[in-house]
Amino acid sequence: MSKTRYKNQKESNEAIAKAYIENDYTNSQNKLLLVSKANYGEKSSNVCYSSVDDKGMNFYEFNNNAERNLMLIERYEWADFSSVTIDHSVTKSVFTFVGHGENRDITIEGKGKEVEQVIRNHSSMEVNVVKRPVWTKVLGYRSQTTWKMFMASTVYTLILLFILHALLPAATHNFIMGLALLILFLSIIGLFVGLIKPKWVLPKFKIKTRKRVLFSYLYLIISCFFIAVAFTDGESTSTPASTQVSSSQNSVTVSSKKDGADSSKQKVEKNDSDKTAKEEKRQKAEEQAVKEEAKQKAQEQAEKEEAKRKAEEQAAKEEAKQKAEEQAAKEEAKQKAQEQAAKEEAERKAQEQAAKEEAKQKAEEQAAKEEAERKAKEQAAKEEAERKAQEQAAKEEAERKAQQQAASQQATTSSSTSNSGNYKPFENDPSDDQQSNMSCSGQIKGNKNSKIYHVPGGAYYDRTQDNIVWFCSEADAQAAGYRESQR
């Protein structure tokens, strides 16, 4: 948009900025929600405007002398930030955006609440609103500057003083002036004492410095001085009614004296007696009025002191109650913290116990598994040994049968030979178990004492070592009167 167009229309800068931003969003996919004047910090010294949409916010720099009045200088997306802290005041709001990179401080003028609502509705950021006391939003207290708050307090006190002077009756002016002078005197003493020992005169302040003493008591001195000056007219304006009555009576008496100047001496004496009586009556009336006024002031003073005492007692009770509530809150928080710690400790112990039991269970399972594997191996080894023993037994049985078969064949041959040659078995030396000097290769071993013969592979074949008689076949052994071993 051109500068000439807006100048011809004599529009304000805000209207120019709004029109430009609306035109800028015409072809944008983002939805424009609001436009506000903004402070962009050190990024730009010129006036800036922000446009807030559903995806983020744009910042424009306004330059009335440029060819294009508004220039886009930066854009922020809501997705770039994780949280935002908002500090609202009366006329502006400060937004502190926290993201993955550098934080951003942006001031929105006039529409901070609307921007906060947009952020809540269209982003996933965590929104933290700074809670400010109500008095910090009053003019003069927003910046929290000491001298500004001092000046604002003085001005507000003067305004309140004029209002009270107009509303309070004249009968209370003297009391207020006296009270103000007393507080003024005490404030001066407190100021000098506080400049030496600040903690003696600032009992309810957390920060006790000479600067705070100076501003606090100087404010009291100035305020009490203005109160005393404002209410000094009370003494002159509050003249007792009895004084006015006495003055009117005096005037009447004087006139009566003038009128009776030519009267007789008796009339003069009568007038003198009347004058004396009236004077005494007037004095008594004045004394009564003074007494009543003093009594009234004393009653008012007593009532104010009683009210002040009650107010102090009430304040003390409220303070004690507040301290008790704070103490109770602290104890409750401490108790909750202890309960939470106990709970966490119990959970930790339970987790450790569960871990121990799980480890024990795993160890038992591992031991059981290893025991099962060991038993399986032992069973397999046993079965393997039995199988090998069976194979060995089968092999030996086969060899024995083969030997028996060979012995039978040999017996047949030897029998034929013996029948033809009258063979006689060989007996060796009793201490010699070896076959020798035999005409045949027989392997039948007979025991001469027991008359039992053993074949190769028999249980006692190898054990028979003495008194051996060798035979070429079982038939030869049986023919010699030997019987076969049962094993």
Side-chain angles (χ1 to χ4, degrees), residues 154-164:
T154 305
V155 172
Y156 293 147
T157 302
L158 290 176
I159 295 173
L160 180 62
L161 178 63
F162 287 122
I163 294 174
L164 291 176

PDB file of all heavy atoms in Angstrom, residues 154-164:
ATOM      1  N   THR A 154       1.752  10.435  48.326  1.00  0.00           N
ATOM      2  CA  THR A 154       1.555  11.800  48.832  1.00  0.00           C
ATOM      3  C   THR A 154       0.372  12.466  48.148  1.00  0.00           C
ATOM      4  O   THR A 154      -0.479  13.101  48.799  1.00  0.00           O
ATOM      5  CB  THR A 154       2.834  12.615  48.620  1.00  0.00           C
ATOM      6  OG1 THR A 154       3.936  11.937  49.227  1.00  0.00           O
ATOM      7  CG2 THR A 154       2.695  13.991  49.225  1.00  0.00           C
ATOM      8  N   VAL A 155       0.280  12.326  46.834  1.00  0.00           N
ATOM      9  CA  VAL A 155      -0.824  12.952  46.085  1.00  0.00           C
ATOM     10  C   VAL A 155      -2.157  12.345  46.500  1.00  0.00           C
ATOM     11  O   VAL A 155      -3.142  13.069  46.758  1.00  0.00           O
ATOM     12  CB  VAL A 155      -0.584  12.795  44.578  1.00  0.00           C
ATOM     13  CG1 VAL A 155      -1.806  13.267  43.791  1.00  0.00           C
ATOM     14  CG2 VAL A 155       0.645  13.579  44.153  1.00  0.00           C
ATOM     15  N   TYR A 156      -2.220  11.000  46.592  1.00  0.00           N
ATOM     16  CA  TYR A 156      -3.472  10.352  46.996  1.00  0.00           C
ATOM     17  C   TYR A 156      -3.868  10.746  48.416  1.00  0.00           C
ATOM     18  O   TYR A 156      -5.055  10.899  48.729  1.00  0.00           O
ATOM     19  CB  TYR A 156      -3.332   8.839  46.889  1.00  0.00           C
ATOM     20  CG  TYR A 156      -3.171   8.342  45.468  1.00  0.00           C
ATOM     21  CD1 TYR A 156      -2.399   7.220  45.172  1.00  0.00           C
ATOM     22  CD2 TYR A 156      -3.789   9.011  44.416  1.00  0.00           C
ATOM     23  CE1 TYR A 156      -2.246   6.776  43.875  1.00  0.00           C
ATOM     24  CE2 TYR A 156      -3.634   8.566  43.106  1.00  0.00           C
ATOM     25  CZ  TYR A 156      -2.860   7.449  42.845  1.00  0.00           C
ATOM     26  OH  TYR A 156      -2.714   7.014  41.557  1.00  0.00           O
ATOM     27  N   THR A 157      -2.885  10.928  49.296  1.00  0.00           N
ATOM     28  CA  THR A 157      -3.188  11.342  50.668  1.00  0.00           C
ATOM     29  C   THR A 157      -3.770  12.746  50.701  1.00  0.00           C
ATOM     30  O   THR A 157      -4.720  13.030  51.455  1.00  0.00           O
ATOM     31  CB  THR A 157      -1.914  11.278  51.522  1.00  0.00           C
ATOM     32  OG1 THR A 157      -1.390   9.953  51.483  1.00  0.00           O
ATOM     33  CG2 THR A 157      -2.206  11.655  52.961  1.00  0.00           C
ATOM     34  N   LEU A 158      -3.210  13.664  49.905  1.00  0.00           N
ATOM     35  CA  LEU A 158      -3.749  15.039  49.852  1.00  0.00           C
ATOM     36  C   LEU A 158      -5.180  15.057  49.334  1.00  0.00           C
ATOM     37  O   LEU A 158      -6.038  15.777  49.872  1.00  0.00           O
ATOM     38  CB  LEU A 158      -2.845  15.903  48.972  1.00  0.00           C
ATOM     39  CG  LEU A 158      -1.452  16.231  49.541  1.00  0.00           C
ATOM     40  CD1 LEU A 158      -0.631  17.018  48.525  1.00  0.00           C
ATOM     41  CD2 LEU A 158      -1.576  17.010  50.834  1.00  0.00           C
ATOM     42  N   ILE A 159      -5.440  14.235  48.298  1.00  0.00           N
ATOM     43  CA  ILE A 159      -6.814  14.176  47.770  1.00  0.00           C
ATOM     44  C   ILE A 159      -7.772  13.652  48.835  1.00  0.00           C
ATOM     45  O   ILE A 159      -8.856  14.210  49.058  1.00  0.00           O
ATOM     46  CB  ILE A 159      -6.843  13.289  46.515  1.00  0.00           C
ATOM     47  CG1 ILE A 159      -6.021  13.927  45.391  1.00  0.00           C
ATOM     48  CG2 ILE A 159      -8.275  13.058  46.049  1.00  0.00           C
ATOM     49  CD1 ILE A 159      -5.844  13.049  44.168  1.00  0.00           C
ATOM     50  N   LEU A 160      -7.362  12.589  49.528  1.00  0.00           N
ATOM     51  CA  LEU A 160      -8.200  12.041  50.596  1.00  0.00           C
ATOM     52  C   LEU A 160      -8.376  13.038  51.728  1.00  0.00           C
ATOM     53  O   LEU A 160      -9.452  13.124  52.346  1.00  0.00           O
ATOM     54  CB  LEU A 160      -7.561  10.752  51.109  1.00  0.00           C
ATOM     55  CG  LEU A 160      -8.303  10.029  52.242  1.00  0.00           C
ATOM     56  CD1 LEU A 160      -9.677   9.585  51.774  1.00  0.00           C
ATOM     57  CD2 LEU A 160      -7.499   8.835  52.725  1.00  0.00           C
ATOM     58  N   LEU A 161      -7.328  13.833  52.011  1.00  0.00           N
ATOM     59  CA  LEU A 161      -7.400  14.831  53.071  1.00  0.00           C
ATOM     60  C   LEU A 161      -8.446  15.894  52.765  1.00  0.00           C
ATOM     61  O   LEU A 161      -9.248  16.272  53.629  1.00  0.00           O
ATOM     62  CB  LEU A 161      -6.014  15.454  53.250  1.00  0.00           C
ATOM     63  CG  LEU A 161      -5.887  16.559  54.289  1.00  0.00           C
ATOM     64  CD1 LEU A 161      -6.204  16.022  55.670  1.00  0.00           C
ATOM     65  CD2 LEU A 161      -4.471  17.137  54.284  1.00  0.00           C
ATOM     66  N   PHE A 162      -8.469  16.393  51.536  1.00  0.00           N
ATOM     67  CA  PHE A 162      -9.463  17.401  51.155  1.00  0.00           C
ATOM     68  C   PHE A 162     -10.886  16.844  51.235  1.00  0.00           C
ATOM     69  O   PHE A 162     -11.822  17.538  51.654  1.00  0.00           O
ATOM     70  CB  PHE A 162      -9.169  17.922  49.744  1.00  0.00           C
ATOM     71  CG  PHE A 162      -7.973  18.827  49.684  1.00  0.00           C
ATOM     72  CD1 PHE A 162      -6.896  18.519  48.867  1.00  0.00           C
ATOM     73  CD2 PHE A 162      -7.900  19.983  50.461  1.00  0.00           C
ATOM     74  CE1 PHE A 162      -5.785  19.339  48.820  1.00  0.00           C
ATOM     75  CE2 PHE A 162      -6.787  20.816  50.413  1.00  0.00           C
ATOM     76  CZ  PHE A 162      -5.718  20.492  49.593  1.00  0.00           C
ATOM     77  N   ILE A 163     -11.032  15.573  50.855  1.00  0.00           N
ATOM     78  CA  ILE A 163     -12.370  14.963  50.925  1.00  0.00           C
ATOM     79  C   ILE A 163     -12.815  14.837  52.373  1.00  0.00           C
ATOM     80  O   ILE A 163     -13.970  15.169  52.725  1.00  0.00           O
ATOM     81  CB  ILE A 163     -12.345  13.589  50.234  1.00  0.00           C
ATOM     82  CG1 ILE A 163     -12.078  13.755  48.733  1.00  0.00           C
ATOM     83  CG2 ILE A 163     -13.663  12.856  50.441  1.00  0.00           C
ATOM     84  CD1 ILE A 163     -11.883  12.443  48.001  1.00  0.00           C
ATOM     85  N   LEU A 164     -11.914  14.389  53.261  1.00  0.00           N
ATOM     86  CA  LEU A 164     -12.272  14.253  54.673  1.00  0.00           C
ATOM     87  C   LEU A 164     -12.550  15.605  55.317  1.00  0.00           C
ATOM     88  O   LEU A 164     -13.445  15.740  56.159  1.00  0.00           O
ATOM     89  CB  LEU A 164     -11.137  13.550  55.425  1.00  0.00           C
ATOM     90  CG  LEU A 164     -10.916  12.075  55.084  1.00  0.00           C
ATOM     91  CD1 LEU A 164      -9.695  11.538  55.821  1.00  0.00           C
ATOM     92  CD2 LEU A 164     -12.149  11.255  55.439  1.00  0.00           C
TER      93      LEU A 164
END
